[in-house]
Amino acid sequence: MTDIVIHDAEVDGVAGIDIRISGDRIGAVAPALSTVGVAEVIDAAGGAVIPGLHDHHLHLHAMAADAASVRCGPPAVRDAAELAVTLAAAPGDDHGWIRGVGYTETVAGDLDANALDRLHAQRPVRIQHRSGAMWILNGAAVTAARLADTSHPGVERDTHGSPTGRVWRADTWLRDRLPPSHPPRLRTIGTTLARYGITAVTDATPDLPPQSLAAVLAAVANRDLPQHVHLLGAPLDCRILPPSGRITIGPYKIILADSGLPNIDDLVRRIHSVHSHGRAIAVHCVTREALLMLLAALDTAGPLTGDRIEHGALIPEESIDDLHRRSLQVITQPGFLAHRGDEYLRHVDAIDQPDLYRCRSLIDAGVHVAMSSDAPYGPLDPWTVITAAMSRRAPTGDTVGITEKITAKEALTRYLTPATNPGGNPRRVRIGAPADLVVLRAPLADVLASPTADAVRLTLIGGRPIQDRW
């Protein structure tokens, strides 16, 4: 007998409920279930049991690499002198390279190879901008990566045609020019996600190379990564992926880069191509211009059920009805307000600030909105994101877009919607549903009064408790 009973839980606001788990499904939900012969009884002690959370947009391998990288931005590093000391002390990888993450211009301005050489020239250094859109290489790294010998459009050049050391949105291409390495293991990432109550994720990494795709499949198969994974970067001709049921293929990721928008006719052709393969599109839009270009392209290409917007960092009020009319889903990250809200208030035009990471106006207009982290570029902790969605507070306490506040319950609901219908009907604890569950330390209303990851007592995926109770 392998059944598990969760005893004395609150379910949908009703206290004193037991939940019987049979295999990977919920077998019964009722008061006072028999525990005779079950393998384990978990006492919820009156705490709520909710479906597992789904982070609808993150980057698994970038998260693992980020965890092993040198912090090059606030709060760890705040100025050029601190950055120089940090790089000098960094151990480097097996090939002597230093990999930095989290850089922002408040530290040492607009870094390029020359500026980075003044901070550290002794070893190859590459630093990722906090946005994830750009890498900055020092002189030794520029030489080692042979940037002068390429015509790749992501390699920025000066007026003389020489590489500046800044490489835009070319992660896979750049990786191929670095010393060989294997994708980082995902075991620690899986454990961290479970501690937050996350039982499923959508990996939004575009154009997954075969090695990265194989590494994700292996991590799910051997349960280094126990979560269900929905992939946006799987190749267009990719259909079925093992292990069955735990890896699924989602819409196809398209980047509308703020550093250079494509020709609209090219975008229309690309949308046609994706739709012809039976896949919806998931389009990276962080600027007003990118959003308006996408809407115009869809007028020609036509929408497909499941088309979605990633980020929606700036959505003009006049475009909200257009999103609803086209049934576009918006996958947003209000957690950025908690981390970068002060910068938005300083650098985003006042007229655009109400358009930042909209929630309330989209929901009220009937647009399907789902919550996510964009980790490692935004805060992974979903309870931090929920708090940001309801408070809209920047680090200094100022509010960004006060009219866009939603309740904690509304924010949580948008973590409970399924991978295939983000922002749609939330999953519930019911008979026959997958046993992907979170046991909280208190009734749900108490947890949502002050959301924190400390409220997560236990996470179960496929009926299996993940680690011990924390």
Side-chain angles (χ1 to χ4, degrees), residues 52-59 198 200-205 230 232 251 282 308-311 329-333 369-375 411-427:
L53 279 60
H54 186 118
D55 189 319
H56 288 278
H57 181 120
L58 50 65
H59 305 270
I198 296 171
V201 300
T202 295
D203 185 279
T205 307
H230 197 55
L232 304 188
R308 47 190 268 175
I309 292 171
E310 308 300 311
H311 310 299
Q329 302 158 344
V330 176
I331 317 302
T332 193
Q333 299 96 27
V369 176
M371 294 289 161
S372 62
S373 65
D374 196 25
L412 173 63
T413 295
R414 278 144 186 85
Y415 268 109
L416 302 182
T417 57
T420 54
N421 188 20
N425 292 326
R427 292 167 293 117

mmCIF file of all heavy atoms in Angstrom, residues 52-59 198 200-205 230 232 251 282 308-311 329-333 369-375 411-427:
data_model
loop_
_atom_site.group_PDB
_atom_site.id
_atom_site.type_symbol
_atom_site.label_atom_id
_atom_site.label_comp_id
_atom_site.label_asym_id
_atom_site.label_seq_id
_atom_site.Cartn_x
_atom_site.Cartn_y
_atom_site.Cartn_z
ATOM 1 N N GLY A 52 -0.194 22.798 -6.298
ATOM 2 C CA GLY A 52 1.156 23.315 -6.454
ATOM 3 C C GLY A 52 1.189 24.526 -7.372
ATOM 4 O O GLY A 52 0.390 24.650 -8.305
ATOM 5 N N LEU A 53 2.110 25.426 -7.106
ATOM 6 C CA LEU A 53 2.232 26.643 -7.898
ATOM 7 C C LEU A 53 2.954 26.352 -9.217
ATOM 8 O O LEU A 53 3.833 25.481 -9.281
ATOM 9 C CB LEU A 53 2.999 27.717 -7.122
ATOM 10 C CG LEU A 53 2.196 28.527 -6.087
ATOM 11 C CD1 LEU A 53 1.603 27.648 -5.002
ATOM 12 C CD2 LEU A 53 3.079 29.611 -5.476
ATOM 13 N N HIS A 54 2.578 27.098 -10.248
ATOM 14 C CA HIS A 54 3.235 27.001 -11.558
ATOM 15 C C HIS A 54 3.856 28.352 -11.876
ATOM 16 O O HIS A 54 3.154 29.352 -11.984
ATOM 17 C CB HIS A 54 2.228 26.618 -12.651
ATOM 18 C CG HIS A 54 2.863 26.357 -13.983
ATOM 19 N ND1 HIS A 54 2.797 25.128 -14.607
ATOM 20 C CD2 HIS A 54 3.607 27.146 -14.805
ATOM 21 C CE1 HIS A 54 3.462 25.190 -15.756
ATOM 22 N NE2 HIS A 54 3.953 26.409 -15.893
ATOM 23 N N ASP A 55 5.180 28.378 -12.002
ATOM 24 C CA ASP A 55 5.865 29.593 -12.456
ATOM 25 C C ASP A 55 5.838 29.579 -13.975
ATOM 26 O O ASP A 55 6.459 28.730 -14.618
ATOM 27 C CB ASP A 55 7.306 29.603 -11.934
ATOM 28 C CG ASP A 55 8.005 30.945 -12.201
ATOM 29 O OD1 ASP A 55 7.825 31.499 -13.300
ATOM 30 O OD2 ASP A 55 8.736 31.427 -11.315
ATOM 31 N N HIS A 56 5.114 30.532 -14.561
ATOM 32 C CA HIS A 56 4.819 30.498 -15.991
ATOM 33 C C HIS A 56 5.921 31.089 -16.874
ATOM 34 O O HIS A 56 5.746 31.144 -18.102
ATOM 35 C CB HIS A 56 3.495 31.225 -16.270
ATOM 36 C CG HIS A 56 2.288 30.470 -15.800
ATOM 37 N ND1 HIS A 56 1.720 29.454 -16.529
ATOM 38 C CD2 HIS A 56 1.558 30.562 -14.653
ATOM 39 C CE1 HIS A 56 0.668 28.972 -15.878
ATOM 40 N NE2 HIS A 56 0.560 29.625 -14.735
ATOM 41 N N HIS A 57 7.046 31.509 -16.290
ATOM 42 C CA HIS A 57 8.139 32.030 -17.136
ATOM 43 C C HIS A 57 9.410 32.125 -16.294
ATOM 44 O O HIS A 57 9.533 32.998 -15.428
ATOM 45 C CB HIS A 57 7.768 33.413 -17.692
ATOM 46 C CG HIS A 57 8.811 34.017 -18.586
ATOM 47 N ND1 HIS A 57 8.562 34.352 -19.894
ATOM 48 C CD2 HIS A 57 10.112 34.375 -18.365
ATOM 49 C CE1 HIS A 57 9.649 34.884 -20.437
ATOM 50 N NE2 HIS A 57 10.610 34.894 -19.504
ATOM 51 N N LEU A 58 10.354 31.217 -16.549
ATOM 52 C CA LEU A 58 11.679 31.294 -15.944
ATOM 53 C C LEU A 58 12.670 30.620 -16.882
ATOM 54 O O LEU A 58 12.322 30.166 -17.977
ATOM 55 C CB LEU A 58 11.697 30.679 -14.529
ATOM 56 C CG LEU A 58 11.111 29.298 -14.279
ATOM 57 C CD1 LEU A 58 11.870 28.187 -15.009
ATOM 58 C CD2 LEU A 58 11.078 28.998 -12.782
ATOM 59 N N HIS A 59 13.941 30.550 -16.451
ATOM 60 C CA HIS A 59 15.015 30.027 -17.292
ATOM 61 C C HIS A 59 15.870 29.081 -16.446
ATOM 62 O O HIS A 59 16.706 29.532 -15.652
ATOM 63 C CB HIS A 59 15.857 31.165 -17.858
ATOM 64 C CG HIS A 59 15.060 32.197 -18.597
ATOM 65 N ND1 HIS A 59 14.812 32.106 -19.955
ATOM 66 C CD2 HIS A 59 14.438 33.329 -18.172
ATOM 67 C CE1 HIS A 59 14.068 33.143 -20.335
ATOM 68 N NE2 HIS A 59 13.829 33.893 -19.266
ATOM 69 N N ILE A 198 6.541 25.361 -5.609
ATOM 70 C CA ILE A 198 6.412 25.325 -7.067
ATOM 71 C C ILE A 198 6.542 23.884 -7.542
ATOM 72 O O ILE A 198 7.560 23.229 -7.322
ATOM 73 C CB ILE A 198 7.478 26.210 -7.731
ATOM 74 C CG1 ILE A 198 7.262 27.670 -7.342
ATOM 75 C CG2 ILE A 198 7.437 26.062 -9.253
ATOM 76 C CD1 ILE A 198 8.381 28.604 -7.778
ATOM 77 N N ALA A 200 5.521 23.029 -10.889
ATOM 78 C CA ALA A 200 5.624 23.030 -12.348
ATOM 79 C C ALA A 200 6.165 24.373 -12.803
ATOM 80 O O ALA A 200 5.937 25.404 -12.159
ATOM 81 C CB ALA A 200 4.262 22.764 -12.993
ATOM 82 N N VAL A 201 6.893 24.342 -13.920
ATOM 83 C CA VAL A 201 7.485 25.573 -14.446
ATOM 84 C C VAL A 201 7.346 25.592 -15.961
ATOM 85 O O VAL A 201 7.254 24.544 -16.609
ATOM 86 C CB VAL A 201 8.975 25.701 -14.074
ATOM 87 C CG1 VAL A 201 9.175 25.717 -12.563
ATOM 88 C CG2 VAL A 201 9.824 24.600 -14.711
ATOM 89 N N THR A 202 7.344 26.793 -16.502
ATOM 90 C CA THR A 202 7.484 26.989 -17.939
ATOM 91 C C THR A 202 8.864 27.565 -18.187
ATOM 92 O O THR A 202 9.178 28.662 -17.701
ATOM 93 C CB THR A 202 6.410 27.938 -18.489
ATOM 94 O OG1 THR A 202 5.119 27.328 -18.339
ATOM 95 C CG2 THR A 202 6.646 28.240 -19.962
ATOM 96 N N ASP A 203 9.702 26.805 -18.893
ATOM 97 C CA ASP A 203 11.027 27.305 -19.240
ATOM 98 C C ASP A 203 10.903 28.140 -20.510
ATOM 99 O O ASP A 203 10.505 27.642 -21.560
ATOM 100 C CB ASP A 203 12.015 26.162 -19.457
ATOM 101 C CG ASP A 203 13.425 26.676 -19.687
ATOM 102 O OD1 ASP A 203 13.723 27.083 -20.835
ATOM 103 O OD2 ASP A 203 14.212 26.695 -18.735
ATOM 104 N N ALA A 204 11.218 29.435 -20.387
ATOM 105 C CA ALA A 204 11.010 30.370 -21.487
ATOM 106 C C ALA A 204 12.280 30.644 -22.273
ATOM 107 O O ALA A 204 12.339 31.602 -23.046
ATOM 108 C CB ALA A 204 10.444 31.685 -20.940
ATOM 109 N N THR A 205 13.311 29.823 -22.093
ATOM 110 C CA THR A 205 14.554 30.004 -22.830
ATOM 111 C C THR A 205 14.296 29.754 -24.312
ATOM 112 O O THR A 205 13.798 28.693 -24.684
ATOM 113 C CB THR A 205 15.631 29.039 -22.319
ATOM 114 O OG1 THR A 205 15.749 29.192 -20.904
ATOM 115 C CG2 THR A 205 16.963 29.316 -22.988
ATOM 116 N N HIS A 230 7.242 22.762 -18.873
ATOM 117 C CA HIS A 230 6.596 23.173 -20.121
ATOM 118 C C HIS A 230 7.628 24.002 -20.883
ATOM 119 O O HIS A 230 8.152 24.995 -20.349
ATOM 120 C CB HIS A 230 5.366 24.024 -19.766
ATOM 121 C CG HIS A 230 4.370 24.210 -20.855
ATOM 122 N ND1 HIS A 230 3.784 23.162 -21.536
ATOM 123 C CD2 HIS A 230 3.814 25.351 -21.374
ATOM 124 C CE1 HIS A 230 2.907 23.631 -22.405
ATOM 125 N NE2 HIS A 230 2.919 24.953 -22.334
ATOM 126 N N LEU A 232 9.083 26.377 -23.940
ATOM 127 C CA LEU A 232 8.797 27.306 -25.034
ATOM 128 C C LEU A 232 9.893 27.275 -26.094
ATOM 129 O O LEU A 232 9.666 27.713 -27.219
ATOM 130 C CB LEU A 232 8.671 28.739 -24.497
ATOM 131 C CG LEU A 232 7.648 28.993 -23.396
ATOM 132 C CD1 LEU A 232 7.533 30.494 -23.125
ATOM 133 C CD2 LEU A 232 6.289 28.406 -23.739
ATOM 134 N N PRO A 251 3.886 27.058 -26.473
ATOM 135 C CA PRO A 251 4.044 27.989 -27.580
ATOM 136 C C PRO A 251 5.516 28.217 -27.904
ATOM 137 O O PRO A 251 6.397 27.972 -27.072
ATOM 138 C CB PRO A 251 3.379 29.266 -27.055
ATOM 139 C CG PRO A 251 2.412 28.792 -26.025
ATOM 140 C CD PRO A 251 3.070 27.610 -25.381
ATOM 141 N N ALA A 282 4.832 32.707 -28.256
ATOM 142 C CA ALA A 282 5.075 33.354 -26.967
ATOM 143 C C ALA A 282 6.089 34.448 -27.238
ATOM 144 O O ALA A 282 7.277 34.165 -27.452
ATOM 145 C CB ALA A 282 5.613 32.350 -25.958
ATOM 146 N N ARG A 308 0.637 34.203 -26.703
ATOM 147 C CA ARG A 308 0.839 34.868 -25.418
ATOM 148 C C ARG A 308 1.949 35.907 -25.504
ATOM 149 O O ARG A 308 2.822 35.848 -26.371
ATOM 150 C CB ARG A 308 1.158 33.847 -24.336
ATOM 151 C CG ARG A 308 2.200 32.826 -24.713
ATOM 152 C CD ARG A 308 2.307 31.699 -23.711
ATOM 153 N NE ARG A 308 3.310 31.978 -22.687
ATOM 154 C CZ ARG A 308 3.547 31.207 -21.639
ATOM 155 N NH1 ARG A 308 2.834 30.103 -21.473
ATOM 156 N NH2 ARG A 308 4.478 31.501 -20.759
ATOM 157 N N ILE A 309 1.888 36.842 -24.594
ATOM 158 C CA ILE A 309 2.886 37.895 -24.471
ATOM 159 C C ILE A 309 3.700 37.640 -23.215
ATOM 160 O O ILE A 309 3.147 37.485 -22.121
ATOM 161 C CB ILE A 309 2.217 39.278 -24.404
ATOM 162 C CG1 ILE A 309 1.559 39.609 -25.754
ATOM 163 C CG2 ILE A 309 3.221 40.364 -24.014
ATOM 164 C CD1 ILE A 309 0.693 40.834 -25.716
ATOM 165 N N GLU A 310 5.010 37.576 -23.379
ATOM 166 C CA GLU A 310 5.903 37.407 -22.248
ATOM 167 C C GLU A 310 6.319 38.780 -21.718
ATOM 168 O O GLU A 310 6.785 39.622 -22.487
ATOM 169 C CB GLU A 310 7.142 36.604 -22.654
ATOM 170 C CG GLU A 310 6.831 35.281 -23.350
ATOM 171 C CD GLU A 310 6.011 34.338 -22.492
ATOM 172 O OE1 GLU A 310 6.379 34.123 -21.326
ATOM 173 O OE2 GLU A 310 4.989 33.809 -22.997
ATOM 174 N N HIS A 311 6.133 39.002 -20.456
ATOM 175 C CA HIS A 311 6.495 40.223 -19.730
ATOM 176 C C HIS A 311 5.398 41.286 -19.792
ATOM 177 O O HIS A 311 4.818 41.624 -18.787
ATOM 178 C CB HIS A 311 7.832 40.820 -20.194
ATOM 179 C CG HIS A 311 8.947 39.841 -20.247
ATOM 180 N ND1 HIS A 311 9.384 39.162 -19.123
ATOM 181 C CD2 HIS A 311 9.707 39.394 -21.282
ATOM 182 C CE1 HIS A 311 10.369 38.354 -19.461
ATOM 183 N NE2 HIS A 311 10.575 38.461 -20.762
ATOM 184 N N GLN A 329 -2.831 35.985 -24.067
ATOM 185 C CA GLN A 329 -2.508 35.811 -22.654
ATOM 186 C C GLN A 329 -1.281 36.665 -22.327
ATOM 187 O O GLN A 329 -0.387 36.822 -23.158
ATOM 188 C CB GLN A 329 -2.216 34.335 -22.368
ATOM 189 C CG GLN A 329 -3.373 33.421 -22.735
ATOM 190 C CD GLN A 329 -2.928 31.989 -22.971
ATOM 191 O OE1 GLN A 329 -1.758 31.691 -23.150
ATOM 192 N NE2 GLN A 329 -3.895 31.073 -22.970
ATOM 193 N N VAL A 330 -1.238 37.208 -21.121
ATOM 194 C CA VAL A 330 -0.108 38.025 -20.689
ATOM 195 C C VAL A 330 0.562 37.342 -19.497
ATOM 196 O O VAL A 330 -0.078 37.092 -18.478
ATOM 197 C CB VAL A 330 -0.547 39.449 -20.308
ATOM 198 C CG1 VAL A 330 0.639 40.246 -19.755
ATOM 199 C CG2 VAL A 330 -1.142 40.164 -21.523
ATOM 200 N N ILE A 331 1.840 37.038 -19.657
ATOM 201 C CA ILE A 331 2.626 36.412 -18.596
ATOM 202 C C ILE A 331 3.529 37.500 -18.022
ATOM 203 O O ILE A 331 4.497 37.917 -18.657
ATOM 204 C CB ILE A 331 3.480 35.241 -19.137
ATOM 205 C CG1 ILE A 331 2.671 34.380 -20.112
ATOM 206 C CG2 ILE A 331 4.047 34.436 -17.978
ATOM 207 C CD1 ILE A 331 1.415 33.781 -19.546
ATOM 208 N N THR A 332 3.204 37.965 -16.845
ATOM 209 C CA THR A 332 3.861 39.159 -16.325
ATOM 210 C C THR A 332 4.634 38.872 -15.048
ATOM 211 O O THR A 332 4.503 37.790 -14.454
ATOM 212 C CB THR A 332 2.833 40.281 -16.104
ATOM 213 O OG1 THR A 332 3.518 41.517 -15.878
ATOM 214 C CG2 THR A 332 1.914 39.975 -14.923
ATOM 215 N N GLN A 333 5.445 39.838 -14.622
ATOM 216 C CA GLN A 333 6.335 39.675 -13.468
ATOM 217 C C GLN A 333 6.351 40.925 -12.585
ATOM 218 O O GLN A 333 7.311 41.706 -12.614
ATOM 219 C CB GLN A 333 7.769 39.364 -13.923
ATOM 220 C CG GLN A 333 7.920 38.091 -14.708
ATOM 221 C CD GLN A 333 7.895 38.301 -16.203
ATOM 222 O OE1 GLN A 333 8.240 39.353 -16.700
ATOM 223 N NE2 GLN A 333 7.470 37.293 -16.941
ATOM 224 N N VAL A 369 -4.260 36.708 -17.363
ATOM 225 C CA VAL A 369 -2.979 37.138 -16.810
ATOM 226 C C VAL A 369 -2.435 36.032 -15.920
ATOM 227 O O VAL A 369 -3.158 35.517 -15.058
ATOM 228 C CB VAL A 369 -3.129 38.435 -15.989
ATOM 229 C CG1 VAL A 369 -1.805 38.829 -15.338
ATOM 230 C CG2 VAL A 369 -3.635 39.571 -16.875
ATOM 231 N N ALA A 370 -1.170 35.670 -16.127
ATOM 232 C CA ALA A 370 -0.512 34.676 -15.281
ATOM 233 C C ALA A 370 0.726 35.292 -14.655
ATOM 234 O O ALA A 370 1.348 36.195 -15.218
ATOM 235 C CB ALA A 370 -0.139 33.438 -16.088
ATOM 236 N N MET A 371 1.076 34.792 -13.466
ATOM 237 C CA MET A 371 2.228 35.300 -12.726
ATOM 238 C C MET A 371 3.454 34.420 -12.959
ATOM 239 O O MET A 371 3.348 33.212 -13.172
ATOM 240 C CB MET A 371 1.923 35.344 -11.231
ATOM 241 C CG MET A 371 0.848 36.325 -10.847
ATOM 242 S SD MET A 371 1.402 38.028 -11.017
ATOM 243 C CE MET A 371 -0.185 38.865 -11.059
ATOM 244 N N SER A 372 4.602 35.056 -12.892
ATOM 245 C CA SER A 372 5.855 34.336 -13.086
ATOM 246 C C SER A 372 6.984 35.170 -12.516
ATOM 247 O O SER A 372 6.783 36.284 -12.036
ATOM 248 C CB SER A 372 6.088 34.069 -14.575
ATOM 249 O OG SER A 372 6.199 35.291 -15.295
ATOM 250 N N SER A 373 8.199 34.607 -12.586
ATOM 251 C CA SER A 373 9.352 35.263 -11.954
ATOM 252 C C SER A 373 10.347 35.844 -12.939
ATOM 253 O O SER A 373 11.024 36.821 -12.638
ATOM 254 C CB SER A 373 10.085 34.240 -11.073
ATOM 255 O OG SER A 373 10.635 33.194 -11.870
ATOM 256 N N ASP A 374 10.496 35.215 -14.108
ATOM 257 C CA ASP A 374 11.605 35.490 -15.032
ATOM 258 C C ASP A 374 12.954 35.214 -14.365
ATOM 259 O O ASP A 374 13.962 35.804 -14.717
ATOM 260 C CB ASP A 374 11.568 36.913 -15.574
ATOM 261 C CG ASP A 374 12.451 37.093 -16.820
ATOM 262 O OD1 ASP A 374 12.695 36.090 -17.515
ATOM 263 O OD2 ASP A 374 12.902 38.222 -17.079
ATOM 264 N N ALA A 375 12.975 34.337 -13.368
ATOM 265 C CA ALA A 375 14.239 33.979 -12.715
ATOM 266 C C ALA A 375 15.221 33.415 -13.748
ATOM 267 O O ALA A 375 14.816 32.719 -14.678
ATOM 268 C CB ALA A 375 13.985 32.945 -11.615
ATOM 269 N N ALA A 411 -3.540 37.225 -7.006
ATOM 270 C CA ALA A 411 -2.186 36.943 -7.481
ATOM 271 C C ALA A 411 -1.864 35.455 -7.357
ATOM 272 O O ALA A 411 -1.304 34.845 -8.275
ATOM 273 C CB ALA A 411 -1.173 37.782 -6.716
ATOM 274 N N LEU A 412 -2.217 34.859 -6.211
ATOM 275 C CA LEU A 412 -1.970 33.430 -6.026
ATOM 276 C C LEU A 412 -2.719 32.619 -7.079
ATOM 277 O O LEU A 412 -2.172 31.653 -7.644
ATOM 278 C CB LEU A 412 -2.417 32.994 -4.626
ATOM 279 C CG LEU A 412 -2.369 31.487 -4.349
ATOM 280 C CD1 LEU A 412 -0.942 30.967 -4.437
ATOM 281 C CD2 LEU A 412 -2.984 31.161 -3.001
ATOM 282 N N THR A 413 -3.959 32.998 -7.361
ATOM 283 C CA THR A 413 -4.759 32.273 -8.352
ATOM 284 C C THR A 413 -4.026 32.192 -9.681
ATOM 285 O O THR A 413 -4.093 31.175 -10.383
ATOM 286 C CB THR A 413 -6.122 32.968 -8.543
ATOM 287 O OG1 THR A 413 -6.859 32.884 -7.321
ATOM 288 C CG2 THR A 413 -6.918 32.329 -9.673
ATOM 289 N N ARG A 414 -3.282 33.234 -10.013
ATOM 290 C CA ARG A 414 -2.578 33.262 -11.297
ATOM 291 C C ARG A 414 -1.282 32.470 -11.287
ATOM 292 O O ARG A 414 -0.623 32.331 -12.304
ATOM 293 C CB ARG A 414 -2.378 34.709 -11.722
ATOM 294 C CG ARG A 414 -3.632 35.221 -12.380
ATOM 295 C CD ARG A 414 -4.005 36.649 -12.153
ATOM 296 N NE ARG A 414 -5.318 36.885 -12.756
ATOM 297 C CZ ARG A 414 -6.484 36.631 -12.147
ATOM 298 N NH1 ARG A 414 -6.496 36.189 -10.907
ATOM 299 N NH2 ARG A 414 -7.625 36.837 -12.771
ATOM 300 N N TYR A 415 -0.927 31.940 -10.124
ATOM 301 C CA TYR A 415 0.118 30.914 -10.030
ATOM 302 C C TYR A 415 -0.485 29.510 -10.064
ATOM 303 O O TYR A 415 0.254 28.522 -10.133
ATOM 304 C CB TYR A 415 0.912 31.064 -8.730
ATOM 305 C CG TYR A 415 2.150 31.920 -8.839
ATOM 306 C CD1 TYR A 415 2.207 33.181 -8.260
ATOM 307 C CD2 TYR A 415 3.287 31.457 -9.512
ATOM 308 C CE1 TYR A 415 3.351 33.961 -8.335
ATOM 309 C CE2 TYR A 415 4.428 32.226 -9.598
ATOM 310 C CZ TYR A 415 4.460 33.474 -9.007
ATOM 311 O OH TYR A 415 5.602 34.239 -9.105
ATOM 312 N N LEU A 416 -1.803 29.404 -9.970
ATOM 313 C CA LEU A 416 -2.469 28.102 -9.908
ATOM 314 C C LEU A 416 -3.078 27.690 -11.236
ATOM 315 O O LEU A 416 -3.668 26.610 -11.344
ATOM 316 C CB LEU A 416 -3.558 28.117 -8.827
ATOM 317 C CG LEU A 416 -3.095 28.447 -7.407
ATOM 318 C CD1 LEU A 416 -4.268 28.377 -6.441
ATOM 319 C CD2 LEU A 416 -1.979 27.511 -6.957
ATOM 320 N N THR A 417 -2.946 28.541 -12.256
ATOM 321 C CA THR A 417 -3.505 28.191 -13.556
ATOM 322 C C THR A 417 -2.558 27.236 -14.286
ATOM 323 O O THR A 417 -1.349 27.253 -14.068
ATOM 324 C CB THR A 417 -3.759 29.446 -14.401
ATOM 325 O OG1 THR A 417 -2.540 30.178 -14.559
ATOM 326 C CG2 THR A 417 -4.783 30.346 -13.727
ATOM 327 N N PRO A 418 -3.088 26.374 -15.151
ATOM 328 C CA PRO A 418 -2.254 25.338 -15.769
ATOM 329 C C PRO A 418 -1.328 25.882 -16.843
ATOM 330 O O PRO A 418 -1.544 26.972 -17.398
ATOM 331 C CB PRO A 418 -3.286 24.379 -16.375
ATOM 332 C CG PRO A 418 -4.508 25.211 -16.579
ATOM 333 C CD PRO A 418 -4.514 26.234 -15.488
ATOM 334 N N ALA A 419 -0.314 25.087 -17.167
ATOM 335 C CA ALA A 419 0.674 25.481 -18.178
ATOM 336 C C ALA A 419 0.015 25.779 -19.512
ATOM 337 O O ALA A 419 0.408 26.716 -20.217
ATOM 338 C CB ALA A 419 1.710 24.367 -18.345
ATOM 339 N N THR A 420 -0.990 25.008 -19.862
ATOM 340 C CA THR A 420 -1.612 25.136 -21.173
ATOM 341 C C THR A 420 -2.656 26.240 -21.247
ATOM 342 O O THR A 420 -3.140 26.545 -22.340
ATOM 343 C CB THR A 420 -2.271 23.803 -21.573
ATOM 344 O OG1 THR A 420 -3.168 23.410 -20.522
ATOM 345 C CG2 THR A 420 -1.221 22.724 -21.776
ATOM 346 N N ASN A 421 -3.005 26.831 -20.111
ATOM 347 C CA ASN A 421 -3.992 27.914 -20.111
ATOM 348 C C ASN A 421 -3.637 28.933 -19.032
ATOM 349 O O ASN A 421 -4.397 29.130 -18.074
ATOM 350 C CB ASN A 421 -5.396 27.364 -19.887
ATOM 351 C CG ASN A 421 -6.474 28.420 -20.083
ATOM 352 O OD1 ASN A 421 -6.251 29.449 -20.728
ATOM 353 N ND2 ASN A 421 -7.640 28.182 -19.512
ATOM 354 N N PRO A 422 -2.486 29.588 -19.171
ATOM 355 C CA PRO A 422 -2.082 30.553 -18.143
ATOM 356 C C PRO A 422 -3.090 31.683 -18.009
ATOM 357 O O PRO A 422 -3.533 32.254 -19.003
ATOM 358 C CB PRO A 422 -0.729 31.062 -18.653
ATOM 359 C CG PRO A 422 -0.710 30.742 -20.115
ATOM 360 C CD PRO A 422 -1.524 29.515 -20.284
ATOM 361 N N GLY A 423 -3.470 31.970 -16.770
ATOM 362 C CA GLY A 423 -4.464 32.999 -16.538
ATOM 363 C C GLY A 423 -5.891 32.510 -16.668
ATOM 364 O O GLY A 423 -6.837 33.281 -16.481
ATOM 365 N N GLY A 424 -6.076 31.220 -16.970
ATOM 366 C CA GLY A 424 -7.420 30.665 -17.102
ATOM 367 C C GLY A 424 -7.965 30.189 -15.769
ATOM 368 O O GLY A 424 -7.652 30.756 -14.715
ATOM 369 N N ASN A 425 -8.755 29.131 -15.793
ATOM 370 C CA ASN A 425 -9.341 28.623 -14.556
ATOM 371 C C ASN A 425 -8.268 27.973 -13.691
ATOM 372 O O ASN A 425 -7.497 27.137 -14.172
ATOM 373 C CB ASN A 425 -10.440 27.596 -14.861
ATOM 374 C CG ASN A 425 -11.648 28.222 -15.520
ATOM 375 O OD1 ASN A 425 -11.996 29.368 -15.219
ATOM 376 N ND2 ASN A 425 -12.287 27.488 -16.416
ATOM 377 N N PRO A 426 -8.197 28.326 -12.407
ATOM 378 C CA PRO A 426 -7.168 27.750 -11.540
ATOM 379 C C PRO A 426 -7.441 26.285 -11.252
ATOM 380 O O PRO A 426 -8.591 25.834 -11.237
ATOM 381 C CB PRO A 426 -7.270 28.591 -10.262
ATOM 382 C CG PRO A 426 -8.676 29.102 -10.253
ATOM 383 C CD PRO A 426 -9.037 29.306 -11.697
ATOM 384 N N ARG A 427 -6.367 25.530 -11.036
ATOM 385 C CA ARG A 427 -6.509 24.140 -10.611
ATOM 386 C C ARG A 427 -7.027 24.095 -9.167
ATOM 387 O O ARG A 427 -6.821 25.031 -8.407
ATOM 388 C CB ARG A 427 -5.144 23.441 -10.710
ATOM 389 C CG ARG A 427 -4.671 23.269 -12.163
ATOM 390 C CD ARG A 427 -3.207 22.877 -12.250
ATOM 391 N NE ARG A 427 -2.353 23.965 -11.790
ATOM 392 C CZ ARG A 427 -1.562 23.903 -10.738
ATOM 393 N NH1 ARG A 427 -1.513 22.802 -10.001
ATOM 394 N NH2 ARG A 427 -0.821 24.934 -10.398
#
